[in-house]
Amino acid sequence: MLLEIEDIHVHYGKIAALKGISIAVDEGEIVTLIGGNGAGKTTTLKTISGLRPLTSGRITFAGQDISKMPGHKRVLAGIGQAPEGRGIFPGMTVHENLLMGAYARKGEVKAELDEVYDLFPRLAERRTQAGGTMSGGEQQMLAIGRAMMTKPKVLLLDEPSMGLAPMLVAQIFEIIQKINERGTTVLLVEQNAQQALQLAHRAYVIETGRVVKSAPASDLLDDPEVRAAYLGGDLGVDGDAPQDGEPAAKEGQVATPNGDASTREGA
């Protein structure tokens, strides 16, 4: 198994964000994490990439325990991430942003640049344009391209479709599939559960810091509880997802059955 997360617990102060999550990602797979805002999906990715420390548990990557490895060394080991919100350098050109993705690497990076420009022709057209002047979709392409410059064995993608028009969402998902077909393993966090499950090989459903379901992605597409909570079906009796007109939880909050949102930092 390329990446194994075993019973990890993560806290923000005294608040438990992850409560014993276990996830496995095999080489060549696309695995997706779905769940509501505040469920712990982003925290899971941050913990894998070394941005959040473990309280307990273990993370194994390519047979090595990386639980205490610094984040920059995880990048060199083969873990790349395109974060939620894109996080590009707005004053730098597209080309300079991409070079920043290879900052910690030694040696020639022309092959990786050529691959990114091949995957994203729009970036090639705008290589001298400042990142901050680009559209949201172009910035998302740039964030993914920058992560690909690290030569990742596994690519962590956090909400790549957030804020994008449907046509651009479809384009981003096509590119993710192409990246995977070219040999990069993908762990995807995505609010667009329908498209994520259609793309992925396997999926985990996370609720309030715990994995509550795991199965082949195609099986979860047909799961009545998943459809009710995340795919626009009727609500189940527990009210796992807000109905139309009810307030949705904001980032960093947990939706409660009565439709309110209770704050939980950083989930």
Side-chain angles (χ1 to χ4, degrees):
M1 197 64 65
L2 179 61
L3 176 65
E4 290 185 271
I5 298 96
E6 303 172 66
D7 193 31
I8 63 171
H9 292 250
V10 173
H11 287 74
Y12 288 87
K14 295 182 179 180
I15 300 171
L18 302 183
K19 306 168 185 176
I21 282 182
S22 295
I23 291 168
V25 182
D26 206 356
E27 188 171 357
E29 284 191 306
I30 300 176
V31 175
T32 188
L33 311 181
I34 64 172
N37 286 338
K41 308 184 301 300
T42 291
T43 297
T44 300
L45 292 193
K46 286 183 176 180
T47 305
I48 294 168
S49 61
L51 297 176
R52 294 299 312 171
L54 287 170
T55 303
S56 63
R58 184 171 69 167
I59 301 173
T60 306
F61 180 65
Q64 180 182 6
D65 187 341
I66 63 167
S67 305
K68 296 182 180 179
M69 180 184 287
H72 69 281
K73 291 187 177 180
R74 298 188 197 194
V75 174
L76 293 173
I79 298 176
Q81 182 170 5
E84 180 183 11
R86 299 152 194 158
I88 65 163
F89 299 100
M92 291 185 175
T93 66
V94 165
H95 194 74
E96 290 166 342
N97 267 275
L98 294 177
L99 290 178
M100 287 300 293
Y103 181 79
R105 289 179 45 204
K106 296 180 180 179
E108 182 59 54
V109 297
K110 182 180 184 301
E112 288 71 39
L113 276 170
D114 289 345
E115 182 178 14
V116 169
Y117 286 138
D118 181 55
L119 282 166
F120 301 100
R122 187 79 60 86
L123 297 184
E125 295 168 4
R126 290 162 168 72
R127 66 181 71 197
T128 60
Q129 184 173 336
T133 66
M134 300 172 73
S135 70
E138 291 165 346
Q139 289 186 17
Q140 185 61 67
M141 294 176 190
L142 182 54
I144 296 173
R146 185 182 58 190
M148 289 298 295
M149 289 296 297
T150 68
K151 291 187 68 174
K153 296 176 183 175
V154 61
L155 177 63
L156 311 181
L157 296 176
D158 196 355
E159 304 287 6
S161 76
M162 180 179 288
L164 302 185
M167 186 178 297
L168 282 173
V169 171
Q171 186 177 356
I172 290 294
F173 274 85
E174 287 173 6
I175 291 167
I176 294 170
Q177 184 168 17
K178 189 179 293 186
I179 288 170
N180 179 247
E181 290 170 351
R182 293 186 180 191
T184 302
T185 303
V186 177
L187 179 57
L188 169 68
V189 161
E190 180 55 56
Q191 286 286 344
N192 191 330
Q194 181 85 30
Q195 288 202 266
L197 292 173
Q198 288 173 344
L199 176 71
H201 300 102
R202 294 188 302 108
Y204 293 84
V205 181
I206 299 180
E207 294 179 1
T208 59
R210 295 183 175 90
V211 172
V212 296
K213 282 182 183 288
S214 64
S218 58
D219 290 353
L220 290 183
L221 271 172
D222 296 325
D223 185 298
E225 292 181 359
V226 173
R227 293 192 67 83
Y230 305 111
L231 303 180
D234 293 329
L235 271 178
V237 294
D238 291 329
D240 293 322
Q243 300 184 54
D244 290 342
E246 287 185 350
K250 296 180 180 179
E251 187 65 31
Q253 296 180 325
V254 181
T256 59
N258 63 7
D260 296 328
S262 58
T263 300
R264 189 180 67 214
E265 184 180 350

